[in-house]
Amino acid sequence: MLRWAAIIGQAITLLLVSQWLGFDVPLVGSAIVIGVALLVNIAISLTLPLDRRVSDAEAIAQLGFDIAQLALLLYLNGGIENPFAILFLAPVVTSATTLSKRVLATVAGLALISATCLMLWHEPIPWIPGVLFELPRVYEFGLLAGIVVGTSFTSLYAWRATLESRTMSAALSATEQRLAQEQKLSALGSLAAAAAHELGTPLATITVTAKEMTRELPEGPLSEDAALVLSQAQRCRAILEQLALRGDTPDLIHETLSLEDLLEEAAEGYIDRDRDLIVESHQDDGRLPIMIRRRPELLYALKNFTENAVDFAASRVELTARASRKTVSITIDDDGPGFDPLIRGRLGQPYVTTRSRGRSAGGLGLGVFIASTLVERTGGQVAFERSPLNGARIRCVWSTEALSV
């Protein structure tokens, strides 16, 4: 698709320069170079499946062909003096964003070698008939330096941005995998209890039948087999009874919890730190405390926020939940250095430095981005504020319907 766009753009440019501006363009040679690219792209489209995964060797070959085709076209039309020499950046940036370092280095090297050769050898640039256009050699060196610096900086920027995007996606994927594993383990206990309940009846029937067979059959191989079936059925019943007694059956006690229980579970792993952890829960409308569904992603997010608060706090961390008829809010306060006011509006984004462990404000990093994303996926919103404890406050707000059972 990119090559089709390049071919069409090259053809339109040549027609405009020759017909509209009236410049003496080498149309025949340029048309041959563009025609070769046209034939190559048709051949690739017809002979190779478009949904395949391209190897490094093929990527180098295809992008190298694009560079060579552009270099030939520029050679016929003024070389590096041609303003369209900047298009050498396109294959390099494509390599930086999608391909390996080996491909990037090879393609960048080909582009820079081609640009250098075009500075030394090229046909005169098409210009107004009867007027000679020739740039000083030092200016041509400046054009070459501009292409080298532009290619290097642009490709490095694109590669770095792509790397950060991949890192962020990998972190989110790893978090989702961990949460999915926790959900599977939780579901496994429920499945075991359900299996113990459902298999009890058929096993009881097998046991009764095996007992009858052992009494009715005379001594011999068949009676021994019946006794074996009876003993194994009794063993299966004992195993299922143990599974049923493990307490993994889904019920309101294990599958739901109060807001205070939620906060205590989020803070449980950090009570041995040298910090005061205060947990409070309030119900504004005077009703019975609401019960919420146990959600691994919600616990993971709150644990992450609590861990950061404990890390940066001087001596005190407060976890407060407040529920009303319409909303549920959870705030996590600490008496640490707080958030930098200059970047508070960008907190929760990846790679934003928010806090430091010294006196100055500085950052939490990718963990806060993941935790904020998980809160949003549960239907909540996250805000970063100044705490009454003179430190940082993280406020999470949901609608009551989003959390309550």
Side-chain angles (χ1 to χ4, degrees):
M1 293 296 294
L2 292 174
R3 189 177 290 121
W4 283 126
I7 291 170
I8 294 173
Q10 292 167 358
I12 292 175
T13 302
L14 283 174
L15 290 175
L16 288 176
V17 172
S18 61
Q19 303 302 318
W20 186 47
L21 297 179
F23 289 180
D24 187 15
V25 177
L27 285 176
V28 177
S30 300
I32 292 174
V33 175
I34 296 175
V36 170
L38 178 69
L39 294 176
V40 168
N41 218 32
I42 292 175
I44 291 175
S45 301
L46 294 179
T47 58
L48 297 177
L50 298 181
D51 58 349
R52 72 192 184 287
R53 183 172 181 83
V54 178
S55 65
D56 283 356
E58 184 183 348
I60 292 173
Q62 292 222 37
L63 294 173
F65 170 80
D66 292 332
I67 291 174
Q69 190 260 355
L70 178 61
L72 283 174
L73 201 57
L74 291 172
Y75 170 81
L76 296 172
N77 294 274
I80 201 171
E81 297 176 359
N82 193 308
F84 289 97
I86 196 67
L87 291 177
F88 278 124
L89 269 69
V92 181
V93 173
T94 301
S95 303
T97 54
T98 59
L99 302 174
S100 65
K101 293 181 181 178
R102 171 171 168 262
V103 177
L104 172 60
T106 305
V107 172
L110 291 174
L112 298 180
I113 291 172
S114 300
T116 304
C117 292
L118 287 173
M119 186 191 71
L120 301 175
W121 303 286
H122 59 82
E123 295 295 321
I125 189 170
W127 200 243
I128 301 171
V131 178
L132 179 63
F133 182 88
E134 185 175 359
L135 292 174
R137 178 63 70 180
V138 65
Y139 191 84
E140 291 183 347
F141 274 108
L143 291 175
L144 177 62
I147 292 176
V148 171
V149 172
T151 301
S152 303
F153 176 78
T154 307
S155 59
L156 178 62
Y157 178 85
W159 176 78
R160 181 63 183 173
T162 304
L163 179 63
E164 291 187 355
S165 177
R166 289 173 180 170
T167 302
M168 185 168 46
S169 299
L172 281 173
S173 177
T175 303
E176 290 175 348
Q177 258 187 345
R178 179 176 174 181
L179 293 175
Q181 186 178 14
E182 291 181 2
Q183 290 174 337
K184 286 181 179 179
L185 290 175
S186 177
L188 186 60
S190 301
L191 182 62
H197 176 74
E198 296 295 331
L199 293 176
T201 301
L203 275 176
T205 303
I206 294 173
T207 302
V208 171
T209 304
K211 285 182 179 179
E212 294 293 331
M213 292 173 63
T214 54
R215 285 199 298 263
E216 297 295 334
L217 289 173
E219 293 291 335
L222 289 179
S223 64
E224 293 176 359
D225 290 341
L228 179 62
V229 170
L230 176 60
S231 64
Q232 294 302 310
Q234 291 173 340
R235 182 184 176 189
C236 287
R237 290 193 65 182
I239 293 174
L240 292 178
E241 287 175 358
Q242 291 177 1
L243 290 176
L245 292 175
R246 289 186 180 181
D248 290 331
T249 305
D251 52 36
L252 290 178
I253 296 177
H254 297 93
E255 294 300 313
T256 63
L257 67 170
S258 66
L259 288 175
E260 187 170 358
D261 292 336
L262 175 68
L263 297 186
E264 289 179 352
E265 190 165 340
E268 183 179 3
Y270 314 105
I271 57 177
D272 57 343
R273 304 281 189 92
D274 188 20
R275 304 288 189 275
D276 292 331
L277 263 69
I278 311 300
V279 174
E280 295 181 355
S281 177
H282 305 279
Q283 187 81 23
D284 289 346
D285 54 10
R287 295 182 301 166
L288 291 175
I290 68 168
M291 302 298 292
I292 65 173
R293 289 175 289 137
R294 180 184 295 276
R295 303 179 69 168
E297 59 268 38
L298 179 57
L299 283 167
Y300 183 92
L302 293 178
K303 286 179 180 180
N304 186 284
F305 288 144
T306 304
E307 180 180 11
N308 279 297
V310 171
D311 286 342
F312 290 105
S315 60
R316 184 181 180 89
V317 175
E318 294 183 359
L319 284 72
T320 306
R322 187 174 296 276
S324 66
R325 188 177 299 274
K326 293 184 178 181
T327 61
V328 174
S329 66
I330 294 176
T331 56
I332 301 172
D333 296 284
D334 65 68
D335 59 353
F339 299 123
D340 188 344
L342 297 178
I343 60 172
R344 187 178 296 168
R346 296 189 294 118
L347 297 181
Q349 298 178 11
Y351 309 110
V352 174
T353 301
T354 56
R355 293 195 286 181
S356 67
R357 296 183 185 275
R359 294 183 179 180
S360 61
L364 304 180
L366 194 58
V368 169
F369 163 71
I370 294 175
S372 301
T373 302
L374 293 175
V375 170
E376 291 171 359
R377 289 186 179 181
T378 60
Q381 297 292 328
V382 182
F384 301 90
E385 305 169 354
R386 179 75 174 173
S387 171
L389 302 179
N390 294 322
R393 163 174 284 187
I394 298 178
R395 181 190 298 274
C396 306
V397 181
W398 298 264
S399 66
T400 304
E401 291 78 9
L403 290 185
S404 60
V405 177

